[in-house]
Amino acid sequence: MTDASQPILRINALTKRFDDFTALHGVDLNVAEGEFLAIVGPSGSGKTTLIRILVGMDELSDGAVWLRNTRIDVVPANKRPTCMVFQSLALFPHRTVGQNIEFPLKLRKVPPAERKARALELLDTLRLPRDYYDKRIQQCSGGEKQRVALARALAFDPEILFFDEPLSALDYRLRKTLEKELKDLHRRTGKTFIYITHSLEEAMVMSDRIAIMKAGRFEQIAPAEEIYARPVSKFVAEFMGEVNFFDLRNGQAEGLLMTPETAAALAGRSGTLTIRPESLRTLPEGQAADLTFEGEIVAEYLLGSRMQYRMMLATGQEMIVEVLRENGVAGGIGAALRVGCDLSAAHLIEEARDAAA
Amino acid sequence: MQRRDARLGLLYSAPLSLFLLLTFLAPILLVAAFSTMPEKVFNLSQAPDFSAYRTVLAQGYWKSVAWSLFMALAATLILLVVCWPLAYGMAKVFKRFTLVLTIGVVMTLFVSENIRLFGWVLTLMKGGLIEGYWRHWTGTGFDAPLYNGPIIVFGLVYVYLPFMLFPLAQGISMVPDDARQAAYDLGATRWQILREIDLPLAMPGIMVGSLLTFVLAAGAMAESKLLGGRAIITIADEVQTAFTYGQNWPLGAALAMVLIAIIGTVAIWAISKADLDKMMGGKS
């Protein structure tokens, strides 16, 4: 149908300035056809501004947005072949479920019988009972409203479907269910999804690729696996969850015991060594790993199947250790703890790369 | 507990109920009683008699009724069109200017309607503010645009503007912004947003505003007397004449009853359509 190598959406040096503040600093992004891309960032990072510009509800100050070969940043929102699932869902309270879903079709003057058939089909797709067609929006639960909003967006049949944190108002269990449903829906429909969220966890479950935003710039754009294992900055590393940082100066770091092989591998290198709490394992006395840490437990938390310890090293630095409960240590607070990990489990953010952040 | 609450509720509402009974229902019943008396005879022990209603039908009063209703309808429709953009601005666009506008519109209510209408007469009449200056400067005069049907409708529009504007602004403020944005995002044009989102969701405000202006305008007479110079006699004017100059209370009462019946029907129909509870911020 279309050239697979050509991105469906291209964002070119997009800048957004408000009166006295620049929300987006010339960001670039390519999105592949059929991709599920999550844009993740803390509040104020510019992700909402970006999505509002992409759907056409705000104007950009500089740059361009291309949908395949069409420049769309100059097209008003109601003429763009994209649509968005709002954070508030923005369902029409005066219309039934069926009328909500049919709305985009009604605008296009699709005959009523055809509209209804499509709406019923979409109710099936979203796993809503067909008799919901005549139900009032107010009678729907949170999760059902969510599905109606999705069905309405799919009825529009957009080239790209945008999501503005639509799950953030739901309780944890429902959110988990809907995350998976959304992922399945993406697979079934083959549409391009661009999903804004502040929750990296949500992004990891669903998306093919994650773009992490910070202060109006993309910090890192990569598959979830890579962002987790090889963050480009401390910001990304911390955003992905708890992490331990060690300053490495010319291959030396305080509080870090290294095997000769490790010392040789790190020799002369500087930067921030990042170690995930769950990469660490407890070590019996006398045994050493590539990287070894010794200290005293100052706090412990039970996280279901895992144990988390806060450990104070001899240097005064604290670090977080997470192990399976059966591998936990006896003694609790005050007990000595020896942990270590393989060098491959540690990631070095090189000095020069992090300097800009 | 619940029963006590119910009793307390009744108790609390008693003063107002009594007041409404005395000032609202009693006069209507009195007028209804008057309307069934024989004309030009005042006799309390008379058996009910519908000769006054026969006079209403026979003497062409329906024309006044029709004119009043027609002009009220025209004024209501014009007000809807004129007030919509203004109300929209007040509800969604203007920020501090909304307050200025509100104060400005409310202040006009501080001056009696007759005085304000007479101000218009002085402005528009031959030799008045406009025509006088025009003739002074150009040497040619023109007829005053007074004493006709359209100027009466203008007067109604002018006098009852606040009664349309504020309910309408209230109604429009209930339209969620995100619903409008979602409709736009899904491909709706401005007109489609107006028809599919704004109008239905602002309907309580539209109904309340239209009802207020229609009911008030249908019972108005100052506009036709002052601006219209009685070019058209409204039904309210006829009622007043029957009670005063005509000294025919049963006829006046019968005319009033006809007007009450018509307007009451319209009002009850409209109220049943509009969700007043929601309008006042209640849940429903």
Side-chain angles (χ1 to χ4, degrees), chain A residues 78 84 88 92 94-95 106 156, chain B residues 178-179 184-186 188 196:
Chain A
N78 62 347
M84 175 159 96
S88 63
F92 307 133
H94 58 305
R95 299 277 188 250
K106 190 179 172 191
F156 180 81
Chain B
D178 62 0
Y184 186 56
D185 184 43
L186 290 168
E196 299 285 338

Side-chain angles (χ1 to χ4, degrees), chain A residues 246-266:
Chain A
F246 291 92
D247 257 342
L248 195 71
R249 292 274 153 263
N250 282 319
Q252 299 293 314
E254 277 192 11
L256 197 59
L257 308 172
M258 292 182 255
T259 57
E261 295 81 13
T262 309
L266 290 177

